[in-house]
Amino acid sequence: MNETSDPISLSAKALREFRDDVLAGLKKEPKELQSKYLYDAEGDELFRQIMRAPEYYLTDCEMEIFKEQCADMAAPLNDFRDGLDVIELGAGDAAKSYYLLQYLISQGFNFTYYPIDISANIINILKDQLPERLPGIKIQGIQGDYFQALKKAVATSSRPKLVMFLGGNIGNMPPEEALEFCIELRRNLSPGDRVLMGFDLKKDPWLIFNAYNDHGGITEKFNLNLLSRINRELGANFDTSLFHHYENYDPETGACKSYLISKANQVVTIGAQQISFREHEHIFTETSQKYTSEQIGAFASGSGFESLLKLTDSKDWFTDVIWRAV
Ligand code: AVJ
């Protein structure tokens, strides 16, 4: 693969999949839309605003870990100094990984950075901007679903790997699926490869509740943008003023779930199809699962990894762990 080639784009196929997934999800009872579709260009921008919302603690906590504990983080990677592929699933704006990449460069690690994101927009921004901030960085962006893209990245190299999955992105899966994800991740790696994962921890339920129900209403806009995206890309006619955001956090299961609630009985047209909504009917749009340290340890051992390092922020709200494939 050429270091400067365009991101690998799946756009026509992606649009077809988007339409099929949206229609399948809205024909289900209860209705649902997959959270990965929240992140188009608008959604990326709204998520950037969420990260700046005072209630949204996740980014600040993980940022603190990356700003202050890079040396600890890099220690279990020392044996990979001479050749390493750093693959980041759901790279976003790489604001956190930036600190580790900078540290690895400063310590003379020889590595290529493979940011993977569902958003082609994000990948293009990263490819343009990261080399300005990290001169000399080798970067090869890949647009796509995590495992499709991971397989592509793995197929292009025979070097040891560090796969990063930050921001509590794993929280977008319910626990059983998260374990499956770890197992699938392990299947794509070789013994000795490392993963660096961020998990949001269980804490005061009100802190979690408020993080997904900010007073500025950005989370609501972010959630409603999914309907606008369906309008833009699939020729639908959702009236977003006829839906509202609802979220709840269950301290027992650690599940934090977002919904869009229909304010009225209504019929929406999506291309040639009609979907009806009852008043108060919900569309499930996203889960943000919270964990205990014990649960995270069980993921590692249950999926063929050995835990090497556990870092937390000063408030103990968020954790980043490093595992080694056994
Ligand atoms: C990007 C998945 C980490 O679940 O906290 C934030 C997404 N959704 N507010 C999260 C999100 C609503 C976020 N992740």
Side-chain angles (χ1 to χ4, degrees):
M1 199 186 290
N2 183 317
E3 307 277 13
T4 55
S5 68
D6 282 340
I8 299 156
S9 167
L10 306 158
S11 53
K13 186 165 164 261
L15 187 63
R16 218 176 322 123
E17 278 176 14
F18 179 44
R19 190 198 53 220
D20 293 350
D21 286 345
V22 163
L23 289 171
L26 294 181
K27 285 175 185 172
K28 275 190 186 163
E29 184 68 45
K31 293 179 168 65
E32 64 176 35
L33 291 168
Q34 294 179 37
S35 58
K36 65 178 181 183
Y37 294 124
L38 290 162
Y39 303 91
D40 66 341
E42 286 288 312
D44 292 340
E45 173 50 31
L46 288 164
F47 184 60
R48 276 194 288 275
Q49 290 178 32
I50 288 175
M51 291 192 286
R52 292 195 294 267
E55 296 92 339
Y56 193 74
Y57 60 84
L58 287 82
T59 311
D60 294 341
C61 289
E62 194 172 38
M63 191 71 90
E64 183 202 302
I65 295 173
F66 273 78
K67 276 188 178 163
E68 294 178 11
Q69 304 182 58
C70 265
D72 292 335
M73 219 177 249
L77 306 174
N78 230 334
D79 42 336
F80 295 162
R81 229 163 227 290
D82 295 334
L84 171 64
D85 286 321
V86 178
I87 300 167
E88 182 167 10
L89 306 179
D93 60 5
K96 289 160 282 192
S97 39
Y98 170 83
Y99 291 97
L100 180 62
L101 299 172
Q102 183 187 47
Y103 186 81
L104 294 177
I105 292 172
S106 78
Q107 297 298 304
F109 278 73
N110 174 19
F111 71 94
T112 299
Y113 175 51
Y114 291 83
I116 289 173
D117 207 282
I118 189 71
S119 161
N121 172 56
I122 283 281
I123 292 294
N124 286 325
I125 293 174
L126 269 183
K127 268 206 331 160
D128 287 348
Q129 296 182 357
L130 208 56
E132 285 171 25
R133 301 170 61 214
L134 293 173
I137 191 164
K138 291 179 223 153
I139 174 170
Q140 173 64 62
I142 307 178
Q143 185 267 326
D145 266 336
Y146 296 142
F147 285 113
Q148 278 173 342
L150 178 62
K151 286 196 171 81
K152 278 183 187 154
V154 168
T156 61
S157 116
S158 53
R159 303 203 291 191
K161 282 158 197 66
L162 168 68
V163 177
M164 295 198 277
F165 195 42
L166 308 181
N169 278 320
I170 196 162
N172 274 175
M173 299 165 220
E176 323 75 63
E177 212 179 288
L179 178 61
E180 274 307 309
F181 177 90
C182 295
I183 292 170
E184 180 65 13
L185 184 56
R186 174 62 191 85
R187 261 190 222 123
N188 282 278
L189 299 177
S190 305
D193 286 344
R194 309 287 145 85
V195 303
L196 166 48
M197 295 226 256
F199 292 87
D200 195 17
L201 294 168
K202 284 189 170 184
K203 60 183 68 61
D204 180 352
W206 282 123
L207 283 168
I208 296 172
F209 183 85
N210 290 331
Y212 295 87
N213 204 14
D214 63 290
H215 287 85
I218 307 164
T219 309
E220 168 146 51
K221 273 197 204 158
F222 173 71
N223 208 4
L224 285 169
N225 173 58
L226 185 42
L227 303 183
S228 308
R229 178 180 184 181
I230 296 171
N231 287 347
R232 286 191 293 271
E233 294 184 22
L234 304 179
N237 67 348
F238 277 103
D239 177 347
T240 55
S241 72
L242 291 179
F243 289 85
H244 71 84
H245 169 71
Y246 173 77
E247 173 253 346
N248 84 336
Y249 172 63
D250 176 4
E252 242 174 83
T253 60
C256 180
K257 295 185 178 179
S258 290
Y259 303 90
L260 288 166
I261 311 292
S262 176
K263 294 184 188 173
N265 291 314
Q266 53 181 318
V267 177
V268 174
T269 302
I270 305 177
Q273 311 247 6
Q274 306 234 300
I275 306 282
S276 357
F277 295 84
R278 297 180 300 277
E279 187 181 14
H280 310 312
E281 186 175 356
H282 67 273
I283 312 170
F284 168 51
T285 55
E286 187 177 37
T287 193
S288 299
Q289 183 69 34
K290 311 308 174 194
Y291 289 108
T292 62
S293 260
E294 292 69 32
Q295 288 176 300
I296 296 165
F299 277 149
S301 49
S303 57
F305 290 100
E306 170 197 9
S307 206
L308 297 182
L309 181 72
K310 183 183 100 183
L311 301 171
T312 57
D313 63 288
S314 53
K315 297 192 190 100
D316 264 328
W317 286 357
F318 195 92
T319 187
D320 282 294
V321 295
I322 295 191
W323 297 344
R324 170 174 39 209
V326 288

